[in-house]
Amino acid sequence: MQMKPDKNIQVARTQLELRQCIQAAKTQGRSIGLVPTMGALHEGHLSLVRAAQRECDFVVVTIFVNPTQFAPHEDLDKYPRTFDEDLDALSELAVDLVFAPDQEELYPHGFSTYVLPPAVAAPLEGQYRPEHFRGVATIVLKLFNLIPAGIAFFGQKDYQQCQVICHMVKDFNIPIEIQVCPIVREADGLAMSSRNRYLSPEDRLRALALSKALDAAVAGFRQGIRDCSTISGYMDQILRQAGVTEIEYATVADASTLQPIGCIERRSVALIAARVGTTRLIDNALLVPE
Ligand code: PAF
């Protein structure tokens, strides 16, 4: 286990080091909170850490760019890696432990067991990134097994991911609570994402159309519109007017199953995935009838 002298933070690189730290925390009777990340931390991640610190005595942040959730044509090699800055931010928050294994530690030679993700993984992201949630569910289950936390914290920006994890936890009887924390936005509304740094200044402006489209969906809903094709139409129009034409989906779905719905009668969610320049962005907003 490394105590980074210049950073004042404990970093476990191996499962053995991790186990020793966790054992010590458990012996002291501390409740464990887990914040899984792929690094390139921003305020969204830090809000998860703060939520974990409010509820748990010992907070573990994992930093691992999980290869199995990227398709061969996706941005695994290009994915931002900012480990030093991440440690600075986490040490400023006085996080108890960072687990930052290398690939071999979690996927040693011969690794071949994967989670078949729940049905909620199939629509939306599942249509465009067919293997993605298999990789997410597999790594998250591995982290849950390695870190016996009482609560794990995830961001609502990855709405479908949160549902996949909640369904997996229920279906596999995993003794952990999942807390979904609110989306953190830039002052102008753009949902924070590690991938925002790929946006050119022009694309950064265009990307604002995603949150604007969702604002319009929420406004329409508050005015009493319940027809989903009308709400999707608003979103589509705002995206296209801003020059965001590579829209993968801009739709309304059931908030729990993520199946398409025609009319909002129960808890629902508006979701968008679109390419802005070369960057794929996602965002969402809940639509909850009284
Ligand atoms: O949301 C993420 O950053 C990742 O999908 C996660 C949950 C850390 C799994 O690699």
Side-chain angles (χ1 to χ4, degrees):
M1 206 258 314
Q2 267 173 290
M3 184 75 193
K4 289 260 171 190
D6 53 329
K7 308 276 190 206
N8 199 26
I9 190 162
Q10 287 195 108
V11 180
R13 290 289 193 176
T14 65
Q15 296 180 45
L16 185 63
E17 291 170 352
L18 175 69
R19 221 170 291 135
Q20 285 164 350
C21 295
I22 297 279
Q23 195 47 51
K26 291 197 92 171
T27 307
Q28 291 160 12
R30 297 165 85 182
S31 62
I32 299 173
L34 168 63
V35 181
T37 83
M38 298 207 297
L41 302 182
H42 50 67
E43 252 323 296
H45 297 112
L46 302 184
S47 74
L48 302 180
V49 172
R50 289 190 198 99
Q53 288 176 322
R54 281 194 295 275
E55 306 230 7
C56 308
D57 308 323
F58 187 84
V59 172
V60 185
V61 175
T62 65
I63 298 182
F64 180 67
V65 182
N66 173 39
T68 62
Q69 68 189 75
F70 290 80
H73 65 277
E74 290 184 340
D75 58 347
L76 172 62
D77 293 338
K78 219 180 101 198
Y79 196 84
R81 288 159 172 90
T82 58
F83 191 60
D84 267 2
E85 290 94 317
D86 292 348
L87 286 191
D88 285 341
L90 296 175
S91 96
E92 214 158 285
L93 289 183
V95 158
D96 299 286
L97 177 64
V98 173
F99 178 48
D102 65 17
Q103 201 167 307
E104 187 61 18
E105 187 67 20
L106 291 189
Y107 294 108
H109 180 70
F111 178 92
S112 66
T113 308
Y114 291 87
V115 173
L116 179 65
V120 69
L124 304 169
E125 291 297 287
Q127 296 292 301
Y128 291 91
R129 306 183 71 190
E131 300 298 314
H132 176 64
F133 286 129
R134 180 179 92 137
V136 170
T138 300
I139 191 65
V140 169
L141 181 61
K142 283 164 74 66
L143 294 174
F144 287 173
N145 285 333
L146 285 165
I147 302 158
I151 316 179
F153 298 78
F154 295 88
Q156 190 201 310
K157 192 184 76 72
D158 295 301
Y159 187 87
Q160 193 172 2
Q161 167 171 286
C162 293
Q163 293 308 313
V164 167
I165 292 164
C166 288
H167 284 248
M168 176 178 78
V169 161
K170 183 164 177 274
D171 290 350
F172 282 174
N173 313 97
I174 305 171
I176 195 165
E177 181 190 327
I178 303 302
Q179 272 204 21
V180 178
C181 300
I183 300 176
V184 178
R185 298 181 179 280
E186 303 284 356
D188 59 7
L190 181 68
M192 289 199 185
S193 161
S194 304
R195 290 187 170 96
N196 288 351
R197 68 192 75 202
Y198 299 151
L199 295 165
S200 69
E202 298 74 30
D203 289 339
R204 170 71 182 71
L205 261 183
R206 253 195 297 273
L208 283 181
L210 274 79
S211 55
K212 293 215 167 89
L214 289 166
D215 288 346
V218 171
F221 173 73
R222 287 197 180 133
Q223 283 157 24
I225 297 170
R226 294 291 179 269
D227 176 56
C228 295
S229 58
T230 307
I231 293 182
S232 306
Y234 288 162
M235 295 197 284
D236 196 76
Q237 191 184 2
I238 289 173
L239 290 165
R240 287 181 195 285
Q241 272 170 359
V244 177
T245 53
E246 287 183 76
I247 303 165
E248 291 183 350
Y249 53 82
T251 191
V252 181
D254 177 276
S256 173
T257 64
L258 289 174
Q259 287 302 317
I261 49 174
C263 179
I264 301 170
E265 285 164 345
R266 53 187 181 278
R267 197 175 157 86
S268 305
V269 59
L271 307 110
I272 298 177
R275 272 181 200 285
V276 182
T278 55
T279 308
R280 185 175 187 277
L281 298 176
I282 57 172
D283 199 353
N284 66 82
L286 282 165
L287 307 173
V288 184
E290 303 271 285

